[in-house]
Amino acid sequence: MGLASVNPSSEGLQLCIFDLRRGQHEGQELDKILFFYPADLPFSTQLSVTGLSEGLITFTRIFSPEAACEVIEAERHSHVFYEPEPDIWMVMVVEKSKEAEAIWRTDALREVLKEVHSLFMMFHGSIRALLDKEPGGGLTRSHLYPFVMDYLRAFRKRSPWDKCCWDIFSGKKLQLPSFHDCLNERRTVQMLTVGREAAIEVQTLVRTLESSAGNTHCFSLILFQDLLVSSTLPPEDTINLFTYAVLRLTPRALSSGVSSWSYLRKGYSSSQVAGGSTFAHSGSVAEQFSGSVAEQFSGSCDTSSGDDRYRVVRPLQNDRWSKGKDGFLITDIWGTEVGDLDLATPTVWLKHTEARMYLCAYQYKSLTVIFLIPVNSILNGEQGVSMEKQKFLENASLKILKVEEKLSKGWGGENAYHVSGYRYLLVDSNRAISRASPAGKVTTLTKESLLALHMLRDEVDLEKGKNKWDHKAHDKDLEMCIRAKNNAWVIARITGGKELYMVLEKANEKLLYASDAVEKFSDRYCNGAFSLD
Amino acid sequence: MSGKASISQSSTGFGSGALSHVYIKHPPLRCSIPGSMGLFYDDGTKLLISTTSTQVFSWKTVPFSPLAAPTTDSISEGPILAVRFSLDEKLIAVQRSNSEIQFWLRETGETFCQKCKSESESILGFFWTDCPLCDIVVVKTSGLDFYSYDPASKSLTLVETRKLNVSWYVYTHESRLLLLASGMQCKTFNGFQLSSGGVIRLPKFEMLMAKSEANSKPVLADEDLYIVTVYGRIYCLQVDRVAMLLHCYRFYRDAVVQQGSLPIYSSKVAISVVDNVLLVHQVDAKVVILYDIFADSRAPISAPLPVLLRGLPRSNSSTSRSNGRESENSETSNANYHETIIYGDDWNFLVPDLVCDVANKLLWKIHLDLEAISASSSEVPSVLEFLQRRKLEANKAKQLCLAITRTVILERRPVNMVGRAMDVIVTSYSLSIKTGSYFKGTKAERRPTGVPNVNNPEAGTDVSVSQTDGRGKSIKFESNSRHNSGLINRSSTYSASDSEDTGSSEPLKTNLDDTPETQPSSLQPQTLGPVNNLVNHDVLEQQETQLATPAISPDEMYKFVFAPVDEEMVGEPSYLVAIILEFLRSANVEKVKVHPNIYVLTIQLLARSERYAELGLFIINKILEPSKEVAFQLLESGRQNPQTRKLGLDMLRQHPLHNDYVLLLVQDGYYLEALRYVRKHKVTGVRPSLFLEAAFSSNDPQHLAAVLRFFSDFIPGFRNTTDFCAYYRVLSEMNGTVNA
């Protein structure tokens, strides 16, 4: 239930990444395309999608050179545009289905594109840099393809309330953020609320980590369950690493194959098969490619079989992380060091400092501590990293114990942030933080309420977009309140860069009641940020 | 003044001081009297007494001053075995023989005698007491006689007798504890405490004695037994010459508990207590070993080193010659030669911290060299603990603590270790708040400089009262809380020792004034440079008045540690942030309130390294508690970072600081929001012209009209003001142009 499904083979979703600077000449258009999903689509179709997109971009740039088109709403499709790097475009085409399930919010879809790209950047650097490194494009394609595919597969798993029928579609389905997700905000971080004492304890742990590294500038990120506790990274990098951690590193992500998520395991194994088949598929598709492009694609898909042409790391691959004996999380994704049995330590690029960092993740019970060490500060590779890890254990393990204990004591469980009577989403866009009613509680809302909220958010997105161009520095306050068909209040309030969305079902019919409810919520949980002055 | 101090410090004091942890200071108190027959020390009244055949000379040793002049009393001729003044110093008691004690009333010179009744018993000694039962206790071989003195009849009345066999006895007025030795080896003891609460009989107990050979049984002598009072607890130290150990017994109301032994390295030892630190003089080895038996550890504080004679004028002879002064000077320089024999055979150690050189008739006071002690250990937290327990030279201990803390941070020592140091400081402060000793100190600081003399006697009486109270309680407390966890115990003992030490902290002041040597700053490395001198200067001013405790308040931590360190420190400020966090953690655990200036500094540090995201976390999690100062610093630091500025605004709104919040909203151009806020919170004192100006500059007649309308409703009589008229005209002009 509740998930808009797209059958990839039936053109439901198309996702492409292309570079406007490439393939400028007649007959070389295929060279533009860096990624296309589904890969088995005939080239003619692929070219027509990119061609249309390019045409629209060129056209709209005449009027708005800074920001070309964002979205095209056609009769049967929506085209969502995103330009992550100059002249590199990502376009997502979704089918407008007759079934109501397939209702998209373009901003949410764009967030998906942003997320793919940010994560890609974190692991592989910018697309442009890859293209510059190897102008043929093979390197880029061989990185992009498995990465985006892994991401989409991960995407399929991520939705927290998959009660959908995996077995029926057996992994051929992608869940894009639909109206069911309108009480979610992608590209934000969910934080754990901690008391002052625990917060100080956490911060002293952070400083201990920092000081144990000596003079090198290290960063750390601490999560409890799936919630962020502390980060010394700048916001953008925090979001990326947080997203990855929740996807792959937190205890829940690690154990997702086992125990309570067993039904997902089924889904997972089937998706694995599906993945395999996709690759096989793309391999066969590759034959259709002419010359080098095809070769590169097949190379990219077959990393495991030891194709040495491009050693492609696939950080989003599922179930490749596990907890080591010493508490550190280990993975073979980054391969093994040459002439060494030890597994190579993962590395990531930071957007802020543009430095390459070793990623070490340590887990104790529900606490995940990620710390990043600059690659150039460690001279002797893996040996140096394991020395750093040793130092980490010596200095911090006691503190980690203490912090975990403190946080577990204060942890209110899955439904800790549930406010009875309210279904809400709270976004602090200044700090890229969001908090929402627990997923389990959101499912109790009726479809009407969700659809109403979805519409409302679409409306708010529009307002926000307008506002962005009008007054760049000036925050605008906004308040909308809708009485839905099922007599639910659907409310949005924006003030000072903070957004509050809520649904009140079975509510009193007076508008005053709704505004009182918001006021109460604001005073109680938001320090009065949304109270009407 | 401070400059001079530090120079003399480095040249004489510290240079040689590094070789010792304990020193005596020149000049001593001279007590040579022509025709002197005997030298006595009365620990009840703390008088040093010298007798001739017909006169009694007495010097006050508290406060200790080398210039103290003796008072003279005449007595009749006769043998003198012992002399003791009554506690109110109105009577002098002189033991004439082993059966007779003679009393003089000092005012009138009247006299009466007290003799033993039977021939078989002889008087071992006597002492005055402040216990309610009696005024004087006579210890005889057959037991104790308690007498009370009746001023009217000018005679003693026997109140009570206790029959006991006594070989010898030990008593100190400080502890009010009387130990009576009996038995073949003199190792069986009966104990009494003659406290203000009454006479407490302690259970009989035996001392440990190691045997050298099978048949020889060593006999315990009275010079091998020391009663020691530290931190308000009473211990007895017993020398075991065979085992070469100093056994340590602690006295509780209902028990005597052996609490470990200390090794000795000399057949002759002596014990002093200075500021609750136990000094074990290894007389033969001519060194002293220091113990702080507050904690369980029986490890010495520092390595054995000799006692140093300080302040000896080196060029004395030359200057005296050039001055061509009288013969007195050359006499003293001669005497100086003799004086320098440290641990000479004629040294008598008096309770608790005096040394009497009997041959030369000199009295020295023993001092601790806190700088040297703290410099001898690299284990900073324990050094700080040690210093925080010092009450006698609280100022100096405090200065040392501050200097050590600064140095440790500047040297970027491991955060864990500095964290423990912070724990020590904060715990000590919180304790001093609970016991009230911190406020006692600060009150003293705030005294106008001219008055302290008036206050001193008052403090004195205060002390004596609490002293007796503390004494009475201390034993009780100990016994009750023995099985409890340490805290109650600790605080009670702290209070007891507090009250005790303020009494004796008088001399500290005079010492500080007399000799520049004792000033701090020797520990600070040269690199600290002028900033620290400046700081010290500030502190020196404070020192003028006395402190009761070296405890350091959070505010002082900021002023004398964090702020100067911040100025000194080069490179990444994140280390300092880590240290401040450790401090906040300690403060939070101890529930000590932290002054906002520390928070402000933290914000500055984080902003300086552009760690705004973390700063946000600090604010949201309330690690930096909200206050007006914090809010304004956020606004200030937020100039480079809008998110941070918003945090500051939010804090103003929540604090709530209406006027500032409204003003900032207007500044940022949110004047309509500001008006709404004004209306909701009924903020008064806003200036309409600000809003009107803002609305006018937005060039929107609707807004201007709204603002005008608002103030017309909000402020009675606004329509008659010049503001209204001016902007009303402006508005109509605007409308005119729009219409046109």
Side-chain angles (χ1 to χ4, degrees):
Chain A
M1 161 217 150
L3 287 156
S5 56
V6 177
N7 194 337
S9 53
S10 72
E11 299 182 26
L13 167 89
Q14 284 152 10
L15 178 65
C16 70
I17 302 173
F18 56 92
D19 178 9
L20 287 183
R21 294 180 194 171
R22 300 171 67 85
Q24 301 282 11
H25 301 290
E26 192 89 22
Q28 291 177 357
E29 287 87 354
L30 205 54
D31 200 31
K32 283 190 211 302
I33 303 176
L34 302 174
F35 171 86
F36 202 96
Y37 173 89
D40 53 357
L41 227 55
F43 287 133
S44 55
T45 322
Q46 293 189 17
L47 284 175
S48 77
V49 169
T50 52
L52 174 64
S53 304
E54 190 181 351
L56 281 163
I57 291 163
T58 318
F59 176 68
T60 49
R61 264 187 180 167
I62 299 170
F63 312 103
S64 167
E66 289 301 308
C69 73
E70 290 180 337
V71 65
I72 305 167
E73 296 285 358
E75 193 184 353
R76 287 176 52 215
H77 292 94
S78 298
H79 297 238
V80 181
F81 290 76
Y82 176 57
E83 186 183 17
E85 296 170 40
D87 285 332
I88 291 183
W89 284 85
M90 299 174 86
V91 178
M92 188 188 260
V93 185
V94 287
E95 195 178 13
K96 286 180 176 172
S97 160
K98 290 280 183 304
E99 342 160 28
E101 297 291 312
I103 295 174
W104 326 106
R105 196 161 57 84
T106 52
D107 273 27
L109 292 179
R110 196 170 299 109
E111 294 299 331
V112 173
L113 296 178
K114 273 186 196 166
E115 188 167 276
V116 187
H117 180 259
S118 303
L119 287 176
F120 184 84
M121 284 267 283
M122 179 164 81
F123 290 108
H124 300 301
S126 72
I127 296 175
R128 182 63 68 202
L130 282 175
L131 286 173
D132 289 346
K133 205 162 152 193
E134 205 230 45
L139 184 70
T140 315
R141 288 191 188 101
S142 64
H143 276 87
L144 272 176
Y145 191 83
F147 189 88
V148 179
M149 290 312 292
D150 284 340
Y151 175 82
L152 291 178
R153 221 168 285 133
F155 206 75
R156 189 159 35 201
K157 278 196 63 180
R158 249 181 98 192
S159 233
W161 58 92
D162 342 47
K163 286 182 187 143
C164 55
C165 1
W166 282 99
D167 36 353
I168 297 173
F169 292 99
S170 73
K172 291 224 165 183
K173 209 173 64 162
L174 287 170
Q175 282 109 46
L176 294 177
S178 74
F179 68 93
H180 291 284
D181 300 273
C182 56
L183 281 178
N184 262 335
E185 185 76 359
R186 197 170 292 272
R187 302 296 293 153
T188 57
V189 165
Q190 285 79 53
M191 304 240 8
L192 181 74
T193 300
V194 291
R196 180 164 190 259
E197 191 178 334
I200 293 178
E201 214 54 72
V202 167
Q203 283 304 322
T204 55
L205 169 63
V206 170
R207 305 297 140 175
T208 310
L209 296 180
E210 205 166 76
S211 69
S212 82
N215 286 327
T216 53
H217 201 57
C218 293
F219 293 97
S220 70
L221 195 79
I222 300 177
L223 290 95
F224 183 79
Q225 308 278 22
D226 280 353
L227 299 170
L228 185 72
V229 178
S230 148
S231 164
T232 59
L233 287 163
E236 185 89 350
D237 288 316
T238 300
I239 295 170
N240 292 338
L241 211 55
F242 173 81
T243 310
Y244 185 66
V246 171
L247 221 50
R248 289 290 172 258
L249 302 179
T250 58
R252 194 155 85 170
L254 284 183
S255 68
S256 64
V258 225
S259 68
S260 63
W261 293 75
S262 56
Y263 59 93
L264 267 188
R265 176 131 190 111
K266 256 185 257 161
Y268 161 70
S269 52
S270 60
S271 76
Q272 189 73 322
V273 174
S277 69
T278 316
F279 283 131
H281 211 117
S282 68
S284 64
V285 169
E287 283 160 28
Q288 300 169 18
F289 276 78
S290 53
S292 65
V293 179
E295 222 172 80
Q296 286 148 20
F297 262 79
S298 67
S300 72
C301 305
D302 231 346
T303 46
S304 51
S305 68
D307 186 295
D308 285 338
R309 179 151 177 199
Y310 303 113
R311 191 165 156 248
V312 178
V313 167
R314 292 170 53 192
L316 288 177
Q317 258 179 316
N318 206 350
D319 269 16
R320 300 289 289 272
W321 283 90
S322 61
K323 195 168 157 183
K325 277 190 203 115
D326 54 357
F328 280 100
L329 302 182
I330 45 175
T331 177
D332 57 353
I333 288 175
W334 274 261
T336 51
E337 194 84 326
V338 186
D340 197 348
L341 287 173
D342 286 345
L343 297 170
T345 310
T347 53
V348 293
W349 288 98
L350 289 188
K351 190 167 181 185
H352 177 67
T353 56
E354 293 184 344
R356 199 160 179 74
M357 313 289 275
Y358 283 116
L359 182 151
C360 306
Y362 178 86
Q363 201 161 77
Y364 172 72
K365 291 190 182 167
S366 312
L367 197 72
T368 310
V369 180
I370 299 171
F371 69 102
L372 304 172
I373 314 165
V375 169
N376 56 21
S377 77
I378 291 179
L379 300 173
N380 47 352
E382 285 307 314
Q383 215 180 338
V385 175
S386 64
M387 261 167 60
E388 288 293 327
K389 284 183 176 173
Q390 206 52 44
K391 256 204 291 186
F392 169 92
L393 285 178
E394 278 165 25
N395 288 319
S397 46
L398 258 179
K399 279 233 150 114
I400 289 176
L401 239 75
K402 212 168 162 188
V403 167
E404 206 281 341
E405 195 192 318
K406 278 247 157 67
L407 294 183
S408 312
K409 224 182 267 171
W411 169 235
E414 295 269 306
N415 286 341
Y417 302 129
H418 174 57
V419 181
S420 65
Y422 293 88
R423 300 293 179 270
Y424 68 94
L425 167 68
L426 192 58
V427 183
D428 184 348
S429 60
N430 298 321
R431 322 192 56 80
I433 296 170
S434 73
R435 169 166 296 172
S437 293
K441 299 287 180 184
V442 175
T443 50
T444 64
L445 287 180
T446 59
K447 197 172 159 187
E448 283 85 3
S449 312
L450 284 170
L451 278 171
L453 179 64
H454 176 86
M455 265 171 51
L456 182 69
R457 286 206 66 180
D458 230 2
E459 206 63 36
V460 170
D461 287 344
L462 212 66
E463 273 306 307
K464 269 170 28 188
K466 263 195 232 159
N467 203 32
K468 200 163 70 190
W469 300 117
D470 287 353
H471 319 264
K472 275 188 177 162
H474 203 96
D475 287 324
K476 204 170 172 190
D477 290 1
L478 187 75
E479 192 189 0
M480 289 192 209
C481 210
I482 296 175
R483 181 80 169 167
K485 269 186 218 149
N486 63 340
N487 290 335
W489 285 107
V490 181
I491 304 161
R493 198 174 274 191
I494 299 178
T495 174
K498 288 180 184 143
E499 302 166 27
L500 174 67
Y501 303 95
M502 58 169 58
V503 180
L504 305 167
E505 278 188 343
K506 301 186 197 97
N508 188 298
E509 62 186 358
K510 287 192 180 120
L511 183 60
L512 206 59
Y513 168 89
S515 115
D516 270 359
V518 175
E519 202 86 351
K520 253 187 226 158
F521 185 90
S522 153
D523 284 342
R524 189 91 191 269
Y525 302 99
C526 322
N527 291 319
F530 297 98
S531 305
L532 276 183
D533 288 327
Chain B
M1 176 192 166
S2 69
K4 239 205 260 171
S6 62
I7 289 164
S8 70
Q9 177 78 51
S10 53
S11 61
T12 60
F14 192 59
S16 48
L19 298 172
S20 79
H21 299 138
V22 175
Y23 65 93
I24 52 177
K25 198 165 53 189
H26 186 86
L29 169 65
R30 288 165 197 285
C31 50
S32 62
I33 296 294
S36 164
M37 318 253 297
L39 206 53
F40 304 92
Y41 178 66
D42 178 15
D43 70 330
T45 50
K46 295 198 171 4
L47 291 173
L48 185 70
I49 301 162
S50 179
T51 55
T52 65
S53 53
T54 56
Q55 278 182 310
V56 174
F57 293 85
S58 57
W59 289 265
K60 278 195 189 308
T61 62
V62 173
F64 184 85
S65 158
L67 304 171
T71 42
T72 320
D73 293 278
S74 296
I75 55 167
S76 60
E77 220 172 319
I80 298 174
L81 299 184
V83 184
R84 281 186 188 273
F85 283 60
S86 66
L87 295 182
D88 57 6
E89 294 181 25
K90 284 185 176 157
L91 288 104
I92 304 175
V94 178
Q95 188 185 351
R96 290 300 194 178
S97 69
N98 59 10
S99 63
E100 184 187 352
I101 300 171
Q102 199 177 4
F103 296 88
W104 272 268
L105 271 74
R106 291 176 78 186
E107 264 179 32
T108 58
E110 283 169 277
T111 170
F112 59 91
C113 265
Q114 190 70 34
K115 286 185 181 170
C116 282
K117 279 171 197 146
S118 78
E119 302 278 307
S120 60
E121 56 185 24
S122 64
I123 297 175
L124 292 169
F126 68 96
F127 53 86
W128 298 88
T129 169
D130 53 2
C131 100
L133 178 70
C134 58
D135 295 312
I136 186 163
V137 178
V138 178
V139 187
K140 301 181 296 182
T141 48
S142 60
L144 304 175
D145 284 346
F146 300 98
Y147 294 99
S148 70
Y149 169 68
D150 179 13
S153 67
K154 301 188 177 69
S155 65
L156 295 185
T157 346
L158 183 64
V159 180
E160 199 182 324
T161 323
R162 299 245 180 173
K163 291 285 175 214
L164 290 159
N165 277 326
V166 184
S167 309
W168 45 262
Y169 80 97
V170 182
Y171 174 80
T172 65
H173 182 75
E174 189 186 30
S175 63
R176 266 71 161 181
L177 185 69
L178 172 65
L179 290 179
L180 305 165
S182 61
M184 288 286 286
Q185 285 181 278
C186 298
K187 63 172 189 174
T188 310
F189 284 87
N190 285 296
F192 294 91
Q193 196 189 29
L194 302 143
S195 70
S196 56
V199 179
I200 298 161
R201 178 161 187 168
L202 302 174
K204 204 169 180 176
F205 67 100
E206 296 239 332
M207 298 261 176
L208 293 175
M209 295 281 273
K211 288 178 189 171
S212 54
E213 288 156 42
N215 289 328
S216 80
K217 285 184 178 171
V219 177
L220 193 64
D222 58 348
E223 72 253 30
D224 289 339
L225 205 65
Y226 301 91
I227 297 172
V228 165
T229 318
V230 283
Y231 299 113
R233 311 165 184 167
I234 302 171
Y235 292 89
C236 171
L237 301 178
Q238 172 226 340
V239 179
D240 187 336
R241 287 177 199 285
V242 178
M244 288 299 266
L245 284 175
L246 193 62
H247 298 304
C248 185
Y249 304 86
R250 173 135 181 229
F251 288 88
Y252 297 96
R253 190 191 177 92
D254 53 356
V256 179
V257 181
Q258 221 252 323
Q259 288 196 334
S261 307
L262 310 171
I264 51 175
Y265 307 98
S266 158
S267 59
K268 193 183 172 199
V269 294
I271 308 289
S272 306
V273 173
V274 182
D275 199 7
N276 292 317
V277 178
L278 187 68
L279 277 58
V280 181
H281 304 278
Q282 320 278 338
V283 178
D284 293 345
K286 296 195 187 303
V287 290
V288 58
I289 304 181
L290 278 62
Y291 298 92
D292 187 10
I293 48 178
F294 183 81
D296 291 333
S297 155
R298 291 287 176 270
I301 297 168
S302 54
L305 282 174
V307 170
L308 188 81
L309 172 61
R310 263 205 195 169
L312 188 65
R314 279 184 199 160
S315 51
N316 194 2
S317 50
S318 67
T319 49
S320 65
R321 249 176 246 152
S322 64
N323 285 351
R325 283 243 185 119
E326 320 93 90
S327 58
E328 217 184 277
N329 245 333
S330 61
E331 226 179 72
T332 51
S333 63
N334 276 340
N336 282 340
Y337 179 69
H338 296 292
E339 282 164 7
T340 47
I341 303 170
I342 302 272
Y343 289 126
D345 293 336
D346 300 317
W347 270 29
N348 259 358
F349 290 88
L350 306 176
V351 174
D353 57 354
L354 297 173
V355 183
C356 184
D357 184 342
V358 183
N360 296 307
K361 303 274 189 292
L362 301 172
L363 185 73
W364 303 93
K365 189 175 163 71
I366 303 174
H367 299 271
L368 289 182
D369 187 345
L370 293 182
E371 285 110 313
I373 294 169
S374 54
S376 68
S377 170
S378 60
E379 188 48 40
V380 172
S382 52
V383 168
L384 288 177
E385 257 175 1
F386 173 78
L387 288 174
Q388 287 291 310
R389 284 200 284 266
R390 303 286 70 82
K391 298 283 158 61
L392 203 55
E393 297 178 285
N395 271 325
K396 194 204 270 184
K398 187 170 185 170
Q399 292 317 306
L400 281 170
C401 286
L402 291 170
I404 290 172
T405 318
R406 277 194 300 264
T407 314
V408 157
I409 300 175
L410 282 173
E411 286 173 357
R412 291 179 181 253
R413 304 279 280 275
V415 174
N416 286 347
M417 192 267 268
V418 184
R420 272 183 291 135
M422 295 295 161
D423 287 343
V424 171
I425 288 171
V426 175
T427 314
S428 166
Y429 171 72
S430 119
L431 208 59
S432 77
I433 290 286
K434 278 177 203 148
T435 57
S437 59
Y438 183 80
F439 291 116
K440 214 186 269 174
T442 45
K443 247 187 227 163
E445 268 175 51
R446 278 177 201 155
R447 270 178 205 160
T449 39
V451 195
N453 285 331
V454 185
N455 278 330
N456 273 345
E458 187 188 296
T461 55
D462 192 58
V463 163
S464 68
V465 169
S466 62
Q467 188 176 19
T468 47
D469 276 350
R471 178 66 45 237
K473 267 178 209 157
S474 74
I475 276 195
K476 263 187 240 165
F477 257 121
E478 310 303 28
S479 58
N480 289 344
S481 58
R482 208 163 79 234
H483 303 291
N484 295 354
S485 62
L487 191 70
I488 306 165
N489 201 340
R490 213 196 278 175
S491 59
S492 70
T493 52
Y494 249 113
S495 64
S497 58
D498 274 349
S499 50
E500 235 172 60
D501 287 327
T502 14
S504 51
S505 65
E506 274 336 284
L508 165 75
K509 204 186 155 208
T510 47
N511 285 345
L512 272 177
D513 292 343
D514 289 349
T515 50
E517 266 185 13
T518 48
Q519 245 104 52
S521 85
S522 67
L523 249 203
Q524 287 164 220
Q526 296 299 312
T527 50
L528 292 198
V531 176
N532 281 300
N533 283 341
L534 203 97
V535 170
N536 273 340
H537 189 256
D538 285 353
V539 181
L540 278 175
E541 281 177 337
Q542 275 190 357
Q543 275 185 359
E544 302 290 326
T545 51
Q546 68 191 53
L547 284 181
T549 160
I552 300 168
S553 72
D555 199 28
E556 289 163 323
M557 276 302 278
Y558 170 77
K559 262 193 229 150
F560 302 125
V561 178
F562 294 135
V565 160
D566 175 38
E567 280 183 42
E568 287 282 317
M569 215 149 181
V570 281
E572 254 290 282
S574 67
Y575 176 78
L576 188 52
V577 174
I579 301 304
I580 292 177
L581 264 169
E582 291 290 337
F583 178 74
L584 295 182
R585 182 183 50 74
S586 299
N588 183 52
V589 170
E590 293 290 338
K591 308 263 181 297
V592 169
K593 209 175 167 308
V594 176
H595 195 276
N597 50 21
I598 293 184
Y599 297 144
V600 169
L601 176 66
T602 314
I603 298 171
Q604 288 167 346
L605 291 172
L606 286 169
R608 205 180 300 160
S609 44
E610 297 190 350
R611 303 173 79 155
Y612 294 108
E614 287 165 77
L615 176 54
L617 265 181
F618 275 55
I619 298 295
I620 287 172
N621 289 328
K622 296 207 167 50
I623 293 176
L624 308 178
E625 292 165 307
S627 67
K628 186 173 177 171
E629 290 88 339
V630 169
F632 280 116
Q633 183 56 48
L634 284 173
L635 292 170
E636 172 67 32
S637 300
R639 286 179 191 207
Q640 282 81 41
N641 183 275
Q643 272 83 41
T644 307
R645 189 180 158 81
K646 271 186 186 160
L647 287 173
L649 267 174
D650 284 348
M651 195 175 283
L652 280 184
R653 181 168 54 78
Q654 287 160 35
H655 199 58
L657 294 156
H658 297 311
N659 278 319
D660 298 302
Y661 180 63
V662 166
L663 215 62
L664 280 159
L665 278 182
V666 177
Q667 252 175 43
D668 291 356
Y670 296 95
Y671 51 90
L672 290 180
E673 287 83 348
L675 283 185
R676 263 186 267 147
Y677 188 86
V678 164
R679 187 177 57 205
K680 184 175 178 191
H681 296 276
K682 309 204 168 38
V683 185
T684 53
V686 291
R687 280 188 296 149
S689 57
L690 275 179
F691 293 81
L692 291 164
E693 179 64 35
F696 172 65
S697 58
S698 73
N699 218 9
D700 185 336
Q702 269 184 352
H703 282 193
L704 186 56
V707 174
L708 272 177
R709 177 63 206 260
F710 174 85
F711 281 110
S712 315
D713 292 349
F714 190 70
I715 302 177
F718 177 70
R719 278 174 189 278
N720 303 326
T721 61
T722 49
D723 275 340
F724 178 83
C725 301
Y727 282 97
Y728 188 75
R729 205 173 326 111
V730 170
L731 180 64
S732 26
E733 277 168 22
M734 274 169 115
N735 281 333
T737 52
V738 169
N739 291 338

